[in-house]
Structures are given as structure tokens and as C-alpha cells.
Amino acid sequence: TISKHATSTNITGSTVGQNLWCQTYDNTTVNGTRYCPFAVTTPADPGPADMPVSDAMIAGWRDDAAAGGPPFNGDKIIDSDTSLGPLKINGNLTINNGKRLTLTGTVYVTGTITFINNSQLYLDSSYGSNSGILLADGAIEIRQGVTFSGAGTGSYPLLVTTKNDTTNTSINILNGSSTAIFYAPYGIIEIKNTAVMKALFAWKIVADENVTINYDSGLANFNFSSGPTGGWSELKGTWRIVE
């Protein structure tokens, strides 16, 4: 069920709340006007909107993370409640079961990011009403029971992957959060189970059976910050690799 306008070459087994532009359709209810197939007199297809974040902005976020100090080389595993940022990680990032990662600045991961069951991502209170960035070159996986939290009203974690792959999933969301934004401009976001999110942007979105996506707000309505200056730290008493 699509509550707004829809455009597709072929559409089947759907309900469209407003107008539909297509070439062929089957078993589909359209509550607005159906422009199928296209003709010279057909009103213009609204087409897809441009992605709201530019490559230049993403490059700037990478620079912000790298400016936080020496990079962490290797796979970073969050085994205890930890604060990170700004930081570049030359490897993968894993947040283990039930552990909390608090962003104190932009974190850029050259590999993959994995949130194990019941892990948490928070923004430091210094973000205020701004949103913060967790950026990966590889895939991002959100498993069951993962929670996200901003710093205050209007503040949300933004999870970005620049993985360029139109075949395999770039962001896999087993359950979503209304306080997180997911962004995959060159890849596929797949949503499973019950998922509600603040905003969702991708080259392609795959929603499994019984998934509901509640559109909330456009990305242009958010303010992003690289966060306060500083490095990264772990809680007292935890181990650290010093290189």
C-alpha cells in the first residue's frame, strides 16, 4: 500500500492512494488518476527526487572524522559502553550485544558496521538539537532490539553508507527506530519485521512482508553537526590497544 503518488514501469498487487504513472498494471487499486500506459497527453511523471546529501558533504564528514586524531587501525569491537568521535576507523566496527556507543563526533568506518542484538547508539548531549553522523564505506546491519537516541529535540543519528552496489543489500534493518535516519544513495536498504524510522533514503528500498514505513520528514529539515572537538575514549577499567 502506497499512500501517496506512485510511478513504476510495471505494478501489481498494490493500492495507490493518489495518482499512478505506469506502463502496465495488474490487480492494483488507484484512488487517484491512473496514467497507464504513458501517452503524449499524459501529465509529466514527477520522477524521483534528487538525493538530499551531496558527495561533497560526505567527503567533508570523512575529513571531520579524520581530523579527530590518529586513526584506529583494525576492527573496532565495542565490548563495553564507549564514547567515540571524531574518529576514522580503518576496518570494521561492531557494537556487541547490549552495549552502548555514544558519538561525541563524526565516526567514519572504512569497512562495515554491525549492531548486534539490543545494542545502542546515542548522540552525546553536546550535539543539542543537531544530528550526528556514523558513516561507512561498507554495509550496515541493524539486528533485533537495537535502539537509537539523539541528544535532544530535533536531534537524530544519521547512518550513512556509500557502498555502491545495486545487487546486494547495503543497509539491512531487522527492526527500525523512529529516532534514526538511514541513507544509502548508491545501494539497497532492506527492511524486515516491524520497522519505523525517522527518515529513509536509498537508491532502492526493499520492504519485506508486513513491513510498514511511516514517512516522517525530509532530510532537508535536519541540521547536522560533526560534534564537539576531541578524540575518543573508553570507560575506565576497559582495555585499549595503543599503537
Side-chain angles (χ1 to χ4, degrees):
T1 299
I2 305 160
S3 62
K4 302 294 185 179
H5 297 305
T7 176
S8 178
T9 303
N10 308 299
I11 187 167
T12 185
S14 301
T15 299
V16 179
Q18 296 186 14
N19 299 338
L20 170 66
W21 287 260
C22 70
Q23 292 296 334
T24 64
Y25 64 91
D26 179 61
N27 190 30
T28 294
T29 299
V30 181
N31 294 326
T33 302
R34 182 167 51 215
Y35 301 108
C36 306
F38 289 115
V40 174
T41 57
T42 299
D45 180 348
D50 293 333
M51 284 294 177
V53 173
S54 67
D55 290 343
M57 291 177 64
I58 293 175
W61 292 339
R62 288 193 179 105
D63 292 340
D64 292 338
F72 183 91
N73 295 311
D75 294 342
K76 179 66 177 171
I77 299 176
I78 306 301
D79 282 324
S80 61
D81 293 350
T82 302
S83 295
L84 291 180
L87 177 68
K88 178 181 180 181
I89 298 174
N90 290 317
N92 302 317
L93 173 64
T94 301
I95 301 90
N96 270 340
N97 193 326
K99 301 304 182 282
R100 177 187 293 191
L101 172 61
T102 300
L103 294 186
T104 54
T106 299
V107 173
Y108 165 41
V109 181
T110 62
T112 63
I113 298 174
T114 303
F115 288 87
I116 305 299
N117 295 354
N118 303 312
S119 57
Q120 306 163 47
L121 178 66
Y122 280 65
L123 297 184
D124 186 78
S125 60
S126 55
Y127 276 94
S129 61
N130 291 324
S131 298
I133 302 108
L134 179 59
L135 170 65
D137 288 337
I140 299 175
E141 183 171 359
I142 314 294
R143 297 186 184 174
Q144 294 284 359
V146 177
T147 57
F148 301 88
S149 180
T153 303
S155 172
Y156 306 96
L158 168 64
L159 286 79
V160 180
T161 174
T162 57
K163 180 181 178 184
N164 194 336
D165 188 341
T166 57
T167 301
N168 303 298
T169 302
S170 294
I171 300 181
N172 185 28
I173 305 172
L174 294 184
N175 67 295
S177 168
S178 60
T179 55
I181 304 167
F182 301 97
Y183 190 76
Y186 308 111
I188 300 169
I189 295 180
E190 184 171 3
I191 310 161
K192 302 176 181 178
N193 302 327
T194 302
V196 180
M197 52 218 63
K198 185 68 180 178
L200 187 69
F201 303 86
W203 175 84
K204 180 180 180 179
I205 296 171
V206 177
D208 288 1
E209 292 181 0
N210 302 318
V211 165
T212 298
I213 301 174
N214 293 321
Y215 179 83
D216 191 2
S217 184
L219 196 58
N221 295 327
F222 303 109
N223 295 317
F224 296 100
S225 170
S226 294
T229 59
W232 62 279
S233 64
E234 295 177 329
L235 292 185
K236 183 178 180 180
T238 62
W239 61 270
R240 179 184 304 182
I241 298 176
V242 179
E243 299 186 11

